[in-house]
Amino acid sequence: MWNPFRRADPEDELAARAGERSWPTRLAWLVLVGGAAVLVLRCGVATVVEIHGDGMAPTLLTGDHVLLIRGTWGLAAGDLVVYDPTPPTAPPIEPGPPPQLPGPQEGRGLPRHDGPRQPLRNTAVVDVDDLDLGDEWRSVQRRSGVQDAKALAPRSLRVGRILAVPGDRVTFGEAAGALGLAINGRPLTQELGAPLRLAVRGAQDSQAPPARPRGTAREAIGERRYQVLSAAPGPTRWPGMRLPGDAGPLEVEADGYLVIADNRDEGACCDSRALGFVGPDRIRGEIVLRLGGRNHSHPDVAPEAHGLL
């Protein structure tokens, strides 16, 4: 029973003071545990990376910082992913008779893969060091018996949008669909949008090119809608898919991810049009958020004019 005339016990006062002193200690522990949790998430689950190049314009522009979730769990059509553009190692070719050179009329108009390689420009690039994958690549190459692992590691990763996932039925040459595509029997649709004045630049451009109007379109795949820079008129080429020529619409089952850049013209060098289906082992993670703010590399583009819709 409470007694107002009872003198305070010194032990009770010491316990109360100890309780008061425990709050800073508790706060310090919360900061320590929170910092450790952030470090674990940064190393194993999520990380912030910077985009170099405008291969994903207008969704992502060079200089944008995005949040990436590592892994391939839950990937669906319409998602943005970071992937390794290094093509898989081709099996050794058995020696045979030398190939015949095409005649004057043979092979005209077909894409050529010989000649010196040109630097990749206007692609959306993520530095490998941003994902802390150097040690992982070296361990993988060591397990594969490769001595010079550093030389085989990719110098940079690419960004693209998934249009089809493994197991989907992809129809190439669909006249009614954008890019000549239909996914699971549904053509990829586009609705033309207003031109966007944009200075498209590559990851290696030291000076900003002059801005010029670029055609845009609002594309839909299932329930997902997003904005793209329209491709030049004409049929879409798929050299990485090795499709037969003049065969009409052709339906195949995807054995990997169909990844396409939103900047349809400049991004064609390094997406599934040139590489074919991207295997799950080459996907590094999903981009789920663009960190807001004005992009200093594109001062004329309002923040609300691009980003993940």
Side-chain angles (χ1 to χ4, degrees):
M1 181 176 181
W2 178 71
N3 185 358
F5 301 101
R6 178 179 176 271
R7 297 181 60 182
D9 190 344
E11 295 183 358
D12 294 341
E13 294 181 0
L14 291 176
R17 292 177 182 177
E20 293 176 358
R21 288 195 301 267
S22 67
W23 280 109
T25 305
R26 293 176 184 177
L27 181 60
W29 273 105
L30 287 176
V31 172
L32 181 61
V33 172
V38 170
L39 182 61
V40 171
L41 290 175
R42 167 68 174 81
C43 296
V45 180
T47 186
V48 176
V49 297
E50 182 180 357
I51 303 298
H52 306 279
D54 292 330
M56 286 299 293
T59 305
L60 297 175
L61 302 174
T62 185
D64 282 345
H65 288 78
V66 297
L67 179 65
L68 180 135
I69 302 297
R70 301 174 188 268
T72 60
W73 183 84
L75 291 180
D79 291 341
L80 302 184
V81 292
V82 174
Y83 64 97
D84 174 14
T86 307
T89 304
I93 301 176
E94 297 182 359
Q100 298 293 329
L101 297 177
Q105 301 298 325
E106 297 182 61
R108 178 168 296 179
L110 296 179
R112 297 181 60 87
H113 300 279
D114 54 353
R117 289 181 176 270
Q118 300 297 325
L120 300 179
R121 301 175 61 85
N122 297 333
T123 59
V125 175
V126 171
D127 289 335
V128 175
D129 294 339
D130 289 350
L131 296 183
D132 297 329
L133 293 177
D135 293 338
E136 178 183 337
W137 265 99
R138 283 189 286 272
S139 62
V140 169
Q141 296 298 334
R142 282 196 300 267
R143 289 195 298 268
S144 302
V146 179
Q147 299 297 328
D148 191 6
K150 185 177 181 180
L152 296 180
R155 289 173 297 177
S156 58
L157 304 172
R158 299 297 188 267
V159 185
R161 185 182 299 276
I162 293 177
L163 298 188
V165 300
D168 282 347
R169 295 178 292 107
V170 182
T171 303
F172 297 93
E174 175 65 47
L179 292 175
L181 281 180
I183 313 298
N184 295 324
R186 300 179 61 178
L188 185 67
T189 60
Q190 274 189 357
E191 180 181 349
L192 295 181
L196 178 65
R197 189 171 182 82
L198 190 65
V200 175
R201 70 202 71 196
Q204 300 142 336
D205 290 338
S206 59
Q207 298 181 352
R212 63 184 179 89
R214 300 295 299 263
T216 67
R218 186 63 58 88
E219 200 166 88
I221 178 169
E223 302 299 326
R224 304 288 294 273
R225 294 181 179 275
Y226 48 90
Q227 193 176 26
V228 301
L229 291 186
S230 304
T236 303
R237 296 184 178 274
W238 300 88
M241 292 293 177
R242 296 178 173 83
L243 303 176
D246 300 330
L250 177 67
E251 182 178 277
V252 299
E253 181 176 344
D255 58 1
Y257 294 94
L258 186 70
V259 182
I260 302 295
D262 284 357
N263 185 345
R264 293 296 161 79
D265 283 339
E266 283 82 3
C269 67
C270 333
D271 60 17
S272 287
R273 287 170 287 183
L275 303 176
F277 291 112
V278 178
D281 58 326
R282 294 160 62 190
I283 302 291
R284 294 293 179 259
E286 177 188 359
I287 294 176
V288 298
L289 178 67
R290 171 187 172 268
L291 304 183
R294 179 166 294 279
N295 187 317
H296 298 289
S297 299
H298 289 271
D300 297 331
V301 180
E304 62 274 9
H306 74 288
L308 281 69
L309 302 180

